[in-house]
Amino acid sequence: MKLDITHAILALKPGAEWNLRGDNYSGLEWLDKSQTKPTEEEVVRKLAELEYMDEINQYQRDRKVAYPSAGDQFDRIFHDGVEAWKGDIQGIKNVYPRKYPDPVELKTRQDKAVEDLKSS
């Protein structure tokens, strides 16, 4: 999924009322009376975070495609036992290991996004 400014705004200010004309912060019209408009830097930082987390969580999408259907998994358990099924599932988990966010990498990406914003 391609993440953009709308994803960042929704994550920063859930339920807020706003309009976006185009795909740039300059087109953001803030309508909400109870929440303050996020700064462009806040939006850029959040978008960098969302993109990083999307990369980290790619393993989940890869596993989902690789796992057999529930019916096939139950059939495997029925015919070959739970241990055989566990072996199949563990093999997929080994190919697509779980990843964890690195706070230093996240900060580096957020700082770079803000730096790019300021230099544009």
Side-chain angles (χ1 to χ4, degrees), residues 47-81:
L47 185 56
E49 176 188 343
L50 293 173
E51 288 171 342
Y52 178 57
M53 293 308 298
D54 189 58
E55 287 177 32
I56 292 294
N57 292 326
Q58 180 62 45
Y59 82 93
Q60 295 171 338
R61 295 183 293 277
D62 293 339
R63 283 182 182 180
K64 188 175 183 175
V65 170
Y67 286 142
S69 70
D72 288 344
Q73 290 186 50
F74 287 132
D75 197 50
R76 175 78 160 147
I77 292 168
F78 179 80
H79 289 288
D80 301 317

Side-chain angles (χ1 to χ4, degrees), residues 59-107:
Y59 82 93
Q60 295 171 338
R61 295 183 293 277
D62 293 339
R63 283 182 182 180
K64 188 175 183 175
V65 170
Y67 286 142
S69 70
D72 288 344
Q73 290 186 50
F74 287 132
D75 197 50
R76 175 78 160 147
I77 292 168
F78 179 80
H79 289 288
D80 301 317
V82 171
E83 292 307 314
W85 168 78
K86 282 183 177 180
D88 294 346
I89 297 303
Q90 190 60 56
I92 293 168
K93 289 178 181 268
N94 291 344
V95 171
Y96 304 109
R98 182 174 184 176
K99 296 184 180 177
Y100 297 91
D102 175 357
V104 174
E105 177 64 18
L106 172 58
K107 183 172 180 347

